[in-house]
Amino acid sequence: MTPVERALRQLIALEGPQSLERVMGMANAHYYATRDPFGPAGDFMTSPEISQMFGEMLGVWVLSVWEAMGCSSQVRLVELGPGRGTLMKDVLRAAKVLPGFLKSVSVHLVETSPVLRRAQEQNLTNGAAHVSWHDHADEVPAGPVIVLANEFFDALPVKHYLKGDDGWHERVIALENNAFVFGLARGCVPDSLIPARFHGAETGQWVEFSPQGTRIMDDIAQRIARYGGAALIIDYGHEHSRCGETLQAVRQHQHSPVLERLGEGDLSAHVDFQALGEAAQKAGTDRFALLTQAALLNTLGLPARYAALAKAATTAQKPALDSAVERLTDTTHPTAMGQLFKALCVTQPNLFKGGLS
Ligand code: SAH
């Protein structure tokens, strides 16, 4: 039995079936707190771990935001869920081209996992910038912010509700014959607890949403609207909210049943970019059209960076470089990273032209 399973059994014995949101929160907190899950030997691979070019291109975006902000002297560079710290390391290296930037910036990492905090510390100890850590996004000190988040929002707990004849029932996890099973809360919740965009759902349909994700987006967007700055959120997900659920567990690069070995696999759900975009706009930021990861990286200059690295690469290094570009920007099928991953950019009002109204 895993530690999460043991804790969940106790909770169910004391309080009855538990909401999926609570179980997903418990499972992922344990999962990330106890391991470094990235890379071939781990459970999954993320873009910054595929190639330094990913972080370098995000560095280009960070610098363009900073310049558009008038080279603000007090900016907080925030990363949500920084994993090993690889992305931030590559961003800071790319940012050396504007030496004034590193002097003006303090780095704030929002990370709950002690194991990953240690990895981040090791990756970022060259002293180029002052780094501090926070458990929650709302603990970052007030002021202008430039925020990055790659594969952070997909790890936040989601709620599932089924539309029944009599109203909305929340998905819960119960114990049956000594095994965890999905169930439905007996009572219904009123429409007011379900986001308005799902009110047209039909009987028998599931809806999925992450209150925590919306809260974090709202907090960041309020800071941006009030003090200035921008955020770039990259994740896999859908542009428009839709009914249905996308919860999945991944262990050793394979999908596995969600309720099997809780806390030993990565639980995630597709990000609802409509929900995040609307929360940001409501808080007063400009919001830009969603880009695919491929379009984002190509717009920021990936082809030129690739050409420079390819020129300097040895014959032995070149195939890895080619395959990294291919993986990051492949759009040939819906689940290819360049297509499945999307980027949402929100900024202080009028920072850039072209915001959606
Ligand atoms: N951005 C990294 C890691 C993505 S994995 C990359 O692209 O490689 C998700 C990250 O979010 C991990 O660092 C994990 O520890 C962190 N995380 C997950 N849930 C969190 C939460 N509720 N609060 C803060 N960090 C969280």
Side-chain angles (χ1 to χ4, degrees):
M1 203 185 312
T2 68
V4 173
E5 289 170 346
R6 202 169 303 121
L8 182 57
R9 270 169 194 272
Q10 280 172 358
L11 268 177
I12 293 176
L14 280 169
E15 299 175 359
Q18 297 292 309
S19 72
L20 168 67
E21 183 186 31
R22 186 169 190 189
V23 174
M24 184 173 174
M26 285 168 64
N28 273 356
H30 174 82
Y31 175 74
Y32 283 107
T34 49
R35 76 207 68 214
D36 173 337
F38 311 108
D43 293 316
F44 61 98
M45 191 71 171
T46 59
S47 297
E49 300 301 331
I50 290 176
S51 167
Q52 67 184 70
M53 290 179 281
F54 182 79
E56 289 169 349
M57 292 305 106
L58 267 52
V60 171
W61 178 83
V62 167
L63 291 182
S64 72
V65 167
W66 183 65
E67 284 191 317
M69 289 166 75
C71 303
S72 163
S73 62
Q74 285 276 312
V75 72
R76 289 118 179 76
L77 177 58
V78 181
E79 188 180 350
L80 308 176
R84 285 182 183 159
T86 308
L87 168 59
M88 186 55 80
K89 186 177 79 179
D90 294 335
V91 164
L92 293 177
R93 193 181 52 253
K96 280 190 190 144
V97 297
L98 290 184
F101 176 77
L102 290 178
K103 289 200 196 87
S104 312
V105 77
S106 55
V107 173
H108 296 266
L109 303 179
V110 177
E111 176 60 72
T112 39
S113 160
V115 172
L116 292 174
R117 278 188 183 204
R118 272 197 295 281
Q120 292 153 20
E121 236 171 85
Q122 277 170 9
N123 252 326
L124 296 166
T125 46
N126 63 6
H130 181 264
V131 183
S132 48
W133 279 265
H134 311 275
D135 281 330
H136 302 286
D138 59 10
E139 290 162 10
V140 174
V145 285
I146 302 177
V147 182
L148 297 172
N150 186 61
E151 287 213 50
F152 170 74
F153 282 90
D154 68 74
L156 299 179
V158 289
K159 282 179 175 291
H160 283 175
Y161 283 91
L162 182 69
K163 178 89 178 272
D165 285 328
D166 53 346
W168 298 98
H169 293 267
E170 183 162 16
R171 181 171 249 181
V172 293
I173 284 86
L175 262 178
E176 212 175 84
N177 300 326
N178 218 20
F180 293 116
V181 290
F182 284 122
L184 286 177
R186 227 173 266 135
C188 295
V189 300
D191 271 358
S192 60
L193 290 188
I194 307 294
R197 58 188 186 277
F198 293 128
H199 285 181
E202 295 185 5
T203 302
Q205 281 189 310
W206 286 99
V207 300
E208 174 178 86
F209 55 95
S210 173
Q212 198 178 329
T214 312
R215 261 197 316 274
I216 293 174
M217 189 72 237
D218 174 62
D219 174 78
I220 285 165
Q222 293 214 29
R223 287 162 188 265
I224 292 172
R226 183 162 174 194
Y227 302 106
L232 186 62
I233 314 286
I234 303 173
D235 224 309
Y236 53 94
H238 34 270
E239 181 166 7
H240 301 291
S241 301
R242 51 180 185 231
C243 293
E245 58 98 351
T246 65
L247 181 66
Q248 62 176 24
V250 169
R251 203 149 33 98
Q252 292 159 357
H253 303 267
Q254 305 279 338
H255 288 276
S256 62
V258 168
L259 297 181
E260 196 179 278
R261 300 201 56 73
L262 281 167
E264 298 298 317
D266 176 52
L267 295 182
S268 67
H270 284 215
V271 170
D272 180 344
F273 281 103
Q274 182 180 333
L276 295 186
E278 283 175 2
Q281 220 165 7
K282 208 163 130 200
T285 60
D286 283 356
R287 155 200 186 188
F288 290 79
L290 207 60
L291 293 179
T292 61
Q293 174 164 300
L296 175 79
L297 295 177
N298 287 331
T299 307
L300 289 171
L302 184 74
R305 182 63 181 139
Y306 163 74
L309 288 172
K311 214 166 150 191
T314 62
T315 326
Q317 289 167 330
K318 181 90 178 0
L321 197 60
D322 290 349
S323 104
V325 171
E326 167 70 18
R327 269 181 92 176
L328 291 176
T329 60
D330 184 12
T331 54
T332 52
H333 53 99
T335 56
M337 280 188 110
Q339 181 67 38
L340 180 65
F341 281 71
K342 313 282 192 312
L344 171 67
C345 171
V346 306
T347 70
Q348 71 189 64
N350 305 317
L351 188 70
F352 296 128
K353 288 200 180 72
L356 301 173
S357 48

